[in-house]
Amino acid sequence: MSTIDLSQTHTIHLGVDETQFERLTRDASTCQMMVFQLDLTGIVGRIALADYLAQEFMYPFPTWGLDAATSLISDLEWFGNTNGYVVIARGLSEPSEVGETFVSLLPNITERWQTQGTPFIVAIDGKGDGLRSSLKDANDYLDEFAKNGGPGFVGYQGPIQVVVHEDV
């Protein structure tokens, strides 16, 4: 079983087990990083996902949709934490449209944190082909957009690292 290294400050981890989640939570708390514990089990549809994210990330004002989720989760200034953030996501071990949609948001969000220099680490229990494919597609899109001079990509450092933890 591999551990999650907090020095890899802008990484998305797939296939994380409960022992790794617990250690990551302890390590992040020791570093005074804010930890969000998500459980996406039973969420059906993009609207329900957007509503759930708004609730869990405690947006400071009403919003609607996943574009708002991407924008606000890329900021989180209302928490005032400069030490970084860890997002633990459970309920993605089985294939689902919601899981694939959720992970497709993560490269863009993580890249924005990387540009700001604030640690943002995501750990997900699932590692299925759908999640991997959605992450790859989102990373490829982000990379292509940045290479073509997309606005807001000052300091772009390339696709977000994805680590798949294999069973031992």
Side-chain angles (χ1 to χ4, degrees):
M1 171 180 48
S2 61
T3 60
I4 297 175
D5 182 358
L6 291 180
S7 70
Q8 294 178 325
T9 56
H10 302 96
T11 305
I12 300 167
H13 297 267
L14 297 176
V16 179
D17 66 26
E18 283 303 316
T19 302
Q20 292 167 309
F21 282 148
E22 291 168 10
R23 181 174 177 169
L24 176 60
T25 300
R26 273 194 317 272
D27 292 350
S29 295
T30 299
C31 294
Q32 298 180 324
M33 298 172 78
M34 189 164 191
V35 178
F36 293 94
Q37 303 266 354
L38 307 180
D39 186 351
L40 296 149
T41 304
I43 296 176
V44 178
R46 297 170 67 89
I47 293 171
L49 175 61
D51 290 347
Y52 177 77
L53 294 174
Q55 175 187 335
E56 293 302 306
F57 286 97
M58 299 177 260
Y59 300 165
F61 49 83
T63 64
W64 190 84
L66 293 173
D67 287 341
T70 298
S71 180
L72 287 164
I73 298 169
S74 299
D75 183 348
L76 302 176
E77 70 180 9
W78 56 96
F79 292 112
N81 186 319
T82 58
N83 297 312
Y85 301 90
V86 169
V87 176
I88 292 175
R90 292 178 176 87
L92 298 174
S93 58
E94 296 298 321
S96 73
E97 180 183 342
V98 164
E100 292 173 18
T101 299
F102 173 71
V103 300
S104 74
L105 305 175
L106 298 175
N108 192 345
I109 293 168
T110 307
E111 189 279 330
R112 292 181 189 185
W113 284 109
Q114 186 174 35
T115 301
Q116 297 172 46
T118 303
F120 190 84
I121 299 167
V122 182
I124 299 169
D125 62 356
K127 62 179 176 183
D129 291 341
L131 297 180
R132 293 182 200 206
S133 178
S134 292
L135 276 171
K136 182 185 180 323
D137 290 348
N139 247 339
D140 289 350
Y141 178 81
L142 183 69
D143 198 43
E144 189 65 28
F145 189 74
K147 287 178 181 175
N148 289 325
F153 282 91
V154 176
Y156 178 69
Q157 298 174 30
I160 297 302
Q161 180 179 10
V162 176
V163 175
V164 179
H165 297 261
E166 299 299 337
D167 299 329
V168 179

